[in-house]
């Protein structure tokens, strides 16, 4: 468990990300894909049902012993909360109410944020734009680990610790890599979130708050669903920086596994990404893909060639002027 990982730096490339050119090529061949763009009318109802389920769970856990609070946080509530973060990911692309109602999408993301326990949605939106626009961009794409992460978390045991601490790194990394001024929307997001937490605490006590926050942290760390964090962009094969997964866990993660398709067409809701793959099958069927997020986590931990450094990076001349 103490063997040092094989990589000592990121994979630096000097070409543009592949999604832009592939998007143009696919749209030229299959213009009907444009009809898949736009809001998903079912998304708001699915998300609302998930939020209400978690509020009901808050009521039900208030009298449970602490060990069962954490059990249900990991086994049930955290899965819903992780799924809600992926709903927020979809909503950040305005697929709940469309581009013409962009502000309504931001408010709805705050509604989806409530069971997560900590304010998240507004900051995620701010940085996720850069992840698509500057994929792999040095100092721009905060999805990429820092040099310190790559250097230190290089053994199996340390990589397990890194997986467990993923929520912490995702929260703090933007402040180190690409700090941005706090926006008014982030302040509103925090105010709404802490007001909701206060109401839950007043009604049902501390255990529901722990249930929500612990579930979010645990299920975004060392958990099978969290395999998508590694599966999406870590370089399992040299030169390939985005991978799709077409397995059953897409059913509870808003099809985030269709990640090639998502980066090619970020304005298409997750519910319609399987149609993209079906229409343009020859563009996706023969690209490297994952078949199991559990296997992804296993390989990440025990393969010396895979770790926080196993990411493609590039420099963009259009730097942080925005």
């Amino acid at each position: 468990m103490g063997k040092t990982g094989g990589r000592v730096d990121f994979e630096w490339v000097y070409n543009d990300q592949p999604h832009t050119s592939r998007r143009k090529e696919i749209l030229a061949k299959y213009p009907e894909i444009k009809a898949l763009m736009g809001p998903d009318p079912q998304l708001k109802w699915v998300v609302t049902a998930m939020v209400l389920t978690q509020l009901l769970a808050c009521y039900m856990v208030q009298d449970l012993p602490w060990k069962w609070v954490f059990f249900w946080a990991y086994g049930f509530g955290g899965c819903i909360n992780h799924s809600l973060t992926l709903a927020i990911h979809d909503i950040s692309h305005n697929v709940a109410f469309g581009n013409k109602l962009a502000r309504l999408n931001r408010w709805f993301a705050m509604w989806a944020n409530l069971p997560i326990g900590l304010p998240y949605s507004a900051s995620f939106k701010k940085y996720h734009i850069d992840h698509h626009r500057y994929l792999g961009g040095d100092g721009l794409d905060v999805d990429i680990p820092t040099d310190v992460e790559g250097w230190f978390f290089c053994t199996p045991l340390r990589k397990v610790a890194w997986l467990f601490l993923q929520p912490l790194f995702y929260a703090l990394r933007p402040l180190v890599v690409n700090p941005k001024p706090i926006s008014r929307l982030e302040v509103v997001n925090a105010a709404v979130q802490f007001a909701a937490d206060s109401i839950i605490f007043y009604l049902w006590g501390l255990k529901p708050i722990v249930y929500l926050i612990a579930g979010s942290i645990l299920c975004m760390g060392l958990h099978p669903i969290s395999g998508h964090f590694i599966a999406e962009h870590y370089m399992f094969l040299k030169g390939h920086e985005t991978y799709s997964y077409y397995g059953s866990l897409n059913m509870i993660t808003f099809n985030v596994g269709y990640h090639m398709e998502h980066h090619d067409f970020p304005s298409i809701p997750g519910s319609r990404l399987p149609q993209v793959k079906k229409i343009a099958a020859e563009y996706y069927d023969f690209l490297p893909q994952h078949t199991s997020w559990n296997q992804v986590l296993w390989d990440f931990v025990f393969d010396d060639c895979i770790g926080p450094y196993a990411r493609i990076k590039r420099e963009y001349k259009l730097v942080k002027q925005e």
Side-chain angles (χ1 to χ4, degrees):
M1 293 290 283
K3 188 177 179 181
T4 303
R7 296 195 63 90
V8 295
D9 195 3
F10 299 102
E11 184 81 4
W12 288 89
V13 300
Y14 302 95
N15 58 316
D16 195 7
Q17 60 168 293
H19 301 288
T20 305
S21 58
R22 185 163 56 234
R23 179 187 310 123
K24 292 179 180 178
E25 187 175 339
I26 291 175
L27 285 177
K29 188 173 182 179
Y30 301 109
E32 62 268 30
I33 284 180
K34 292 180 181 179
L36 301 176
M37 300 175 183
D40 175 3
Q42 301 299 319
L43 182 61
K44 57 182 176 292
W45 304 116
V46 173
V47 168
T48 296
M50 295 168 71
V51 172
L52 295 177
T53 298
Q54 282 293 71
L55 291 178
L56 176 61
C58 286
Y59 169 77
M60 296 179 69
V61 303
Q62 61 179 315
D63 297 320
L64 288 180
W66 279 108
K67 65 178 181 180
W68 290 111
V69 171
F70 285 101
F71 173 84
W72 289 112
Y74 186 80
F76 177 74
C79 297
I80 294 179
N81 284 3
H82 195 142
S83 185
L84 283 170
T85 68
L86 297 172
I88 290 170
H89 164 260
D90 241 18
I91 297 165
S92 73
H93 294 284
N94 295 334
V95 301
F97 297 98
N99 291 322
K100 293 182 179 179
L101 297 173
R103 182 57 60 123
L104 190 55
N105 285 280
R106 305 289 78 75
W107 281 101
F108 187 64
M110 293 183 200
W111 166 249
N113 195 150
L114 294 183
I116 295 169
L118 297 170
Y120 159 84
S121 62
S123 297
F124 175 81
K125 165 67 176 178
K126 180 171 68 175
Y127 284 102
H128 191 62
I129 294 172
D130 288 343
H131 172 61
H132 277 267
R133 185 179 299 167
Y134 306 119
L135 181 64
D138 184 37
L140 294 168
D141 184 357
V142 299
D143 187 65
I144 294 180
T146 60
D147 277 301
V148 172
E149 292 171 72
W151 166 75
F152 183 77
F153 295 100
C154 59
T155 68
L157 188 59
R158 292 181 188 180
K159 286 192 278 188
V160 168
W162 185 84
L163 290 173
F164 184 79
L165 296 171
Q166 267 193 111
L168 177 65
F169 289 121
Y170 269 91
L172 297 181
R173 194 183 298 139
L175 305 179
V176 176
V177 175
N178 187 14
K180 296 183 179 184
I182 297 175
S183 67
R184 182 179 300 178
L185 206 59
E186 287 175 288
V187 174
V188 173
N189 185 192
V192 169
Q193 184 64 53
F194 292 133
D197 291 347
S198 299
I199 292 171
I200 292 172
F201 178 77
Y202 175 78
L203 292 174
W204 303 313
L206 180 61
K207 288 180 180 178
I209 299 297
V210 173
Y211 163 80
L212 293 177
I213 296 177
S216 299
I217 293 173
L218 292 171
C219 284
M220 291 182 68
L222 196 58
H223 192 277
I225 298 177
S226 294
H228 80 86
F229 287 125
I230 307 301
E232 290 166 2
H233 295 294
Y234 282 78
M235 193 179 63
F236 283 72
L237 289 176
K238 187 175 178 64
H240 293 275
E241 60 187 313
T242 308
Y243 300 78
S244 284
Y245 155 82
Y246 302 118
S248 58
L249 287 177
N250 280 303
M251 297 174 64
I252 59 171
T253 56
F254 295 91
N255 282 331
V256 73
Y258 287 76
H259 218 66
M260 278 280 196
E261 295 83 351
H262 170 65
H263 270 266
D264 288 352
F265 301 100
S267 60
I268 295 179
S271 60
R272 298 177 191 150
L273 290 176
Q275 294 173 253
V276 174
K277 182 180 183 297
K278 184 177 180 180
I279 293 171
E282 70 271 25
Y283 287 92
Y284 299 110
D285 284 350
F286 301 103
L287 290 174
Q289 57 188 252
H290 294 293
T291 58
S292 167
W293 283 342
N294 283 324
Q295 186 65 48
V296 164
L297 293 174
W298 179 273
D299 291 342
F300 179 83
V301 170
F302 293 107
D303 189 332
D304 287 343
C305 295
I306 305 171
Y309 265 143
R311 292 291 296 262
I312 285 179
K313 288 188 77 172
R314 51 175 61 85
E315 290 188 2
Y316 285 88
K317 295 182 179 180
L318 299 174
V319 292
K320 313 172 236 183
Q321 303 285 332
E322 303 175 10

